[in-house]
Amino acid sequence: MQNNERVEKFRQLVSNKYLIYNSLFLNLPNENTAYTGIFIPLLHKLSKEGYQKDAQPKEVIEDFLANHTELKTDKEKFDLLFRMIKYIERQVVLFDSIEDAAFSSFEKQKIESVLQPGNENYQDLVEHLKSFSSRIVFTAHPTQFYPNNVQGIMHGLRSAVQQDSITKIDNILQQLAYTPFINREKPTPFDEAQSIIFYLRYVYYDTLGKIYHKIGKEANLQPDFNPNLLELGFWPGGDRDGNPFVTKETTYKVATQLRITIMKCYYNHLKILMRKLTFREVNAPLNKLKGKLYKQIFKKKTSLTSEEILDIMYNVRSLVKDNYKSLNIDLIDDFIGRVHLFGNHFAALDIRQDSSIHNQVIAEIFKKEFEVDYTELSSDEKLNYLTQKSLEINPDDYSDDLVVDTIRNVYQIREIQELNGQRGLHRYIISNSESIFDVLHVYALFRYCGYLEEDINIDIVPLFETMAGMDNSEAIMKELYENEVYKKHLHKRNKEQHIMLGFSDGTKDGGYLKANWEIYRTKERLTSLSRQEGYQVVFFDGRGGPPARGGGKTHQFYAAQGNEIANEKIQLTIQGQTITSVFGTHEQATYNFEQLLLAGVKSMQSKNWKPNHKELLTNLADKSYEKYISLKEHRLFIPYLEEMTTLKYYGATNIGSRPTKRNQNAELRLKDLRAIPFVGSWGLVRQNVPGYYGLGTALNSYADQFHVVEDLYEHSAFFRSLILNSIMSMKKSYFPLTSYMKNDKKYGEFWKNLRTEYELTKKLVLKLTHQTELMENEELARKSISMRENIVLPLLSIQQYALQKIQENDPNKKIYEKMVIRALFGNINASRNSA
């Protein structure tokens, strides 16, 4: 499809439909709805014109209320502003639904287009797919502002839009008008897990099953050709670092729910299959399997394994092949393939905890069991205790709740593996890993909880997420690879070492360009080391939604990595908004899973770096890092975040169960602040600092020889992907919204510094990419962003107005704080990958 055709189709299927269906809001069942809806375009016009003249949001809103309404009392004015917030929230839902409904109408590369016997690389692709693995790991990080009931409404609205049914759309929009967008109470960790399990059951079981079967069929492969090709991972219920409210009971409950849910999927799928397999000899085994699956749905402990399901189904397959001319055997293969994919577990549950917690637990154990002060031991003494001692400690002997839960969690892993299979829980991830002891603490915990060496069926995964952690990673892994005890453990794990790298905290720590380049170089070093030592390294990337947290053009990022980085397996986290906006429908999930598979192919074909390009990128990263550090260490950096952005209001939204920072009792420190509110807060004031800051300064350092940077951009797909992602962050920036800050006595110069770096970066990336405006060459994405930003501009004005009134310590401060919180929802949902 030509670009102009795609643009015209976007106009017809998205822009025009939104304009038409948006008019239905004027008929919603609220006597003030039409009245409210008429004012939205007016406030948009006043905002746009006002900010072009450097007006303050307070001036825009007060002018609107005083000169364009007849409202007299504060209560009347507050009521209108809150109604406008709710109205715009629902406009965002409508636009999301319309855009999602149009997704499949735009031609995109599909895997079957390259998986053709006549293609030059067909055989290489088939072999690649037989050994390759991609894993999407769902997290419960709170970036999803749509409650479950609203997501259900969106599902119906998408369908009605695809049918162009005005009657249905009108009915659904009326339902939406009555449906609250706010949770009265914070969800529990199990609630969050249930929300994502919904997608597993109703989107991914079908999506991944069909992709896997399609590939097997196109390549003439058996249904067990690669059960690891498309894997699902799961953090809700196992991620203690991400959520301190997760307990042993939560982990067990979620593991049980995952197992029961996949049995429900098998049961419902089998009922459909049996309608096509109405043959005498297969009736008995299929009914037997149906009965067994039905029982599992109501059992917390299972007696049916995926191996037993496969035994029955392979027997049925043989009967159909031998006695019924292979009639509908393709449908049997589809079912069998899904059992190979999803096993007893559906998604692999990961355990994650921060290294500091393990250090605390180990110290308690040493004090009680060995009667020694762990902190006083030498490194050699620690190594001896951690690798040579075995215990079977009793969690009830300890008084600290965190220590008790950590020990009980290690004990229960064995039981979960017995019920869900070893694929169902096989990783223990250690956040903020910065030494060999961070890994050995976890190994020792298993030995102290009664596990024999041969019973530790767990991949111990260091997570390097700070600049220091990444710098030390090669030395840490070399020491681990050479440790005789850990070496034995790795040999038992098929000589495979999983290593996680954190984009979100990396960017927070080192800035956009430095973090991404350091992660790349760290992967190169660890790949080289692992290959030299005879191990296969599996990289697992902790990525968020926006470019500043490793999101954006994810497929291009992986396709650009080349052979110097181990890419036999691609693993990454997705969360919140990204789950619903990128993987939320069958069409979207199909496309994006297939793109990951193709990215693995393209990375093998990626060209080598030109001489001096790595050195050039290192210099750029260092220059960027210096600029970012000067900002991060500025005395106003944290106060600006707290006082001038929405940062401190994240925790009041009740979208997630976890706190916004790790150390709840201390004053705010950047180290403790979680990446989501950090990046999200910059996004909500439309400054997006983590997505570009320092890049302009780095590019400008080559102003006199800019051609060398242009050569890097032309020949390095990796650098190109970083620049294009940064451009996306800048496209979603809008400094005129906050230009009033330049006159602030305390923060004026600080704001000007941010704006200067933005303008410098914008000027130089446009020069580098030969564009006249941001995202000029990505017209559909640019149009989508522009429409979303237009929808929420009045909302941004209201939010900034409320923030200004709070800063003035207005007598109605509490009402304005509620206004800021309410405006968070629509603003973040509209951005789709802002947090």
Side-chain angles (χ1 to χ4, degrees), residues 355-403:
S355 59
S356 62
I357 303 299
H358 296 137
N359 197 65
Q360 176 186 336
V361 173
I362 288 292
E364 288 289 322
I365 292 173
F366 271 57
K367 180 180 177 182
K368 183 166 193 61
E369 308 295 340
F370 302 130
E371 298 182 346
V372 297
D373 184 342
Y374 183 69
T375 61
E376 295 296 320
L377 297 177
S378 68
S379 293
D380 287 342
E381 288 172 324
K382 287 179 180 178
L383 281 173
N384 181 60
Y385 273 98
L386 294 172
T387 60
Q388 303 300 323
K389 304 290 185 181
S390 297
L391 298 168
E392 195 160 349
I393 59 179
N394 184 349
D396 295 330
D397 291 342
Y398 294 82
S399 58
D400 186 283
D401 290 342
L402 188 56
V403 174

Side-chain angles (χ1 to χ4, degrees), residues 303-331:
S303 58
L304 179 66
T305 66
S306 57
E307 289 77 16
E308 291 176 81
I309 299 172
L310 288 170
D311 285 344
I312 294 172
M313 289 309 301
Y314 274 114
N315 178 45
V316 168
R317 189 183 192 281
S318 295
L319 289 171
V320 170
K321 181 181 179 183
D322 295 341
N323 302 331
Y324 301 102
K325 297 183 178 180
S326 296
L327 187 61
N328 292 326
I329 204 166
D330 186 55
L331 301 179

Side-chain angles (χ1 to χ4, degrees), residues 22-160:
N22 186 45
S23 64
L24 296 175
F25 278 111
L26 298 177
N27 300 316
L28 293 185
N30 185 315
E31 61 182 9
N32 293 311
T33 300
Y35 175 65
T36 305
I38 291 169
F39 280 125
I40 302 277
L42 174 60
L43 181 55
H44 179 275
K45 179 175 182 290
L46 292 173
S47 298
K48 199 77 176 175
E49 292 175 351
Y51 299 142
Q52 288 173 353
K53 300 173 183 176
D54 263 1
Q56 299 184 33
K58 187 174 74 168
E59 294 170 343
V60 170
I61 297 297
E62 289 178 348
D63 170 51
F64 163 69
L65 292 172
N67 299 320
H68 300 278
T69 75
E70 297 180 357
L71 305 176
K72 303 298 182 186
T73 68
D74 284 347
K75 183 181 184 306
E76 289 176 324
K77 294 173 183 177
F78 289 143
D79 285 346
L80 174 61
L81 293 177
F82 276 109
R83 285 201 308 273
M84 292 176 80
I85 290 171
K86 293 177 183 178
Y87 192 103
I88 296 168
E89 277 177 346
R90 285 151 178 79
Q91 287 183 307
V92 172
V93 169
L94 175 62
F95 187 81
D96 281 349
S97 301
I98 290 171
E99 193 168 47
D100 289 346
F103 184 85
S104 59
S105 299
F106 297 94
E107 284 185 18
K108 300 172 184 292
Q109 185 180 23
K110 298 180 180 178
I111 200 160
E112 59 261 38
S113 67
V114 295
L115 193 60
Q116 296 290 334
N119 284 356
E120 182 182 349
N121 299 317
Y122 170 77
Q123 200 55 48
D124 289 340
L125 177 57
V126 170
E127 291 303 313
H128 168 76
L129 293 173
K130 284 161 68 175
S131 60
F132 181 70
S133 173
S134 63
R135 180 182 296 193
I136 294 295
V137 179
F138 302 97
T139 79
H141 293 177
T143 58
Q144 177 50 261
F145 276 62
Y146 289 136
N148 289 349
N149 52 5
V150 175
Q151 291 183 44
I153 291 172
M154 290 177 68
H155 179 78
L157 189 54
R158 280 193 296 267
S159 176

Side-chain angles (χ1 to χ4, degrees), residues 361 365 393 395 398 402-411 449:
V361 173
I365 292 173
I393 59 179
Y398 294 82
L402 188 56
V403 174
V404 171
D405 186 74
T406 302
I407 295 170
R408 286 179 173 164
N409 179 231
V410 173
Y411 270 111
C449 291

Side-chain angles (χ1 to χ4, degrees), residues 142-385:
T143 58
Q144 177 50 261
F145 276 62
Y146 289 136
N148 289 349
N149 52 5
V150 175
Q151 291 183 44
I153 291 172
M154 290 177 68
H155 179 78
L157 189 54
R158 280 193 296 267
S159 176
V161 169
Q162 287 174 330
Q163 298 168 30
D164 280 328
S165 173
I166 294 284
T167 303
K168 287 183 180 179
I169 293 168
D170 183 56
N171 180 268
I172 293 170
L173 291 180
Q174 290 191 49
Q175 179 189 354
L176 189 66
Y178 286 121
T179 303
F181 273 49
I182 294 182
N183 296 319
R184 290 190 176 274
E185 298 178 358
K186 283 182 178 288
T188 67
F190 184 70
D191 291 336
E192 292 170 331
Q194 285 277 64
S195 177
I196 298 175
I197 287 172
F198 172 90
Y199 283 96
L200 266 63
R201 183 177 181 184
Y202 294 106
V203 178
Y204 306 125
Y205 177 78
D206 203 35
T207 299
L208 269 62
K210 286 182 176 178
I211 295 173
Y212 185 73
H213 182 60
K214 176 173 63 179
I215 290 172
K217 194 173 178 180
E218 293 283 349
N220 196 28
L221 299 169
Q222 294 301 308
D224 63 345
F225 75 91
N226 183 2
N228 301 313
L229 179 66
L230 296 159
E231 297 180 313
L232 299 175
F234 209 78
W235 274 17
D239 178 14
R240 284 153 172 74
D241 177 46
N243 193 331
F245 304 123
V246 170
T247 63
K248 165 186 174 287
E249 288 72 26
T250 312
T251 302
Y252 190 85
K253 197 174 176 183
V254 170
T256 300
Q257 194 63 29
L258 285 167
R259 186 178 65 254
I260 287 174
T261 302
I262 191 57
M263 294 299 170
K264 288 179 181 178
C265 290
Y266 292 154
Y267 177 76
N268 290 325
H269 190 171
L270 184 64
K271 286 199 300 181
I272 296 170
L273 181 60
M274 288 175 70
R275 295 173 196 161
K276 294 290 186 178
L277 301 175
T278 52
F279 320 133
R280 186 182 302 277
E281 290 182 62
V282 302
N283 189 52
L286 288 176
N287 273 309
K288 179 182 177 182
L289 177 57
K290 182 182 173 186
K292 284 176 173 284
L293 288 168
Y294 185 78
K295 288 179 181 178
Q296 301 315 299
I297 295 171
F298 301 101
K299 281 190 175 184
K300 288 189 176 179
K301 294 193 176 182
T302 185
S303 58
L304 179 66
T305 66
S306 57
E307 289 77 16
E308 291 176 81
I309 299 172
L310 288 170
D311 285 344
I312 294 172
M313 289 309 301
Y314 274 114
N315 178 45
V316 168
R317 189 183 192 281
S318 295
L319 289 171
V320 170
K321 181 181 179 183
D322 295 341
N323 302 331
Y324 301 102
K325 297 183 178 180
S326 296
L327 187 61
N328 292 326
I329 204 166
D330 186 55
L331 301 179
I332 299 173
D333 285 344
D334 182 19
F335 185 89
I336 289 173
R338 298 187 197 203
V339 180
H340 280 297
L341 278 182
F342 302 121
N344 265 36
H345 60 287
F346 211 159
L349 185 63
D350 286 339
I351 306 296
R352 184 172 76 129
Q353 183 56 282
D354 191 78
S355 59
S356 62
I357 303 299
H358 296 137
N359 197 65
Q360 176 186 336
V361 173
I362 288 292
E364 288 289 322
I365 292 173
F366 271 57
K367 180 180 177 182
K368 183 166 193 61
E369 308 295 340
F370 302 130
E371 298 182 346
V372 297
D373 184 342
Y374 183 69
T375 61
E376 295 296 320
L377 297 177
S378 68
S379 293
D380 287 342
E381 288 172 324
K382 287 179 180 178
L383 281 173
N384 181 60
Y385 273 98

Side-chain angles (χ1 to χ4, degrees), residues 528-543:
S528 177
L529 171 66
S530 300
R531 287 171 178 171
Q532 288 171 18
E533 298 287 341
Y535 299 108
Q536 179 182 1
V537 62
V538 176
F539 291 117
F540 171 32
D541 294 329
R543 308 173 74 96

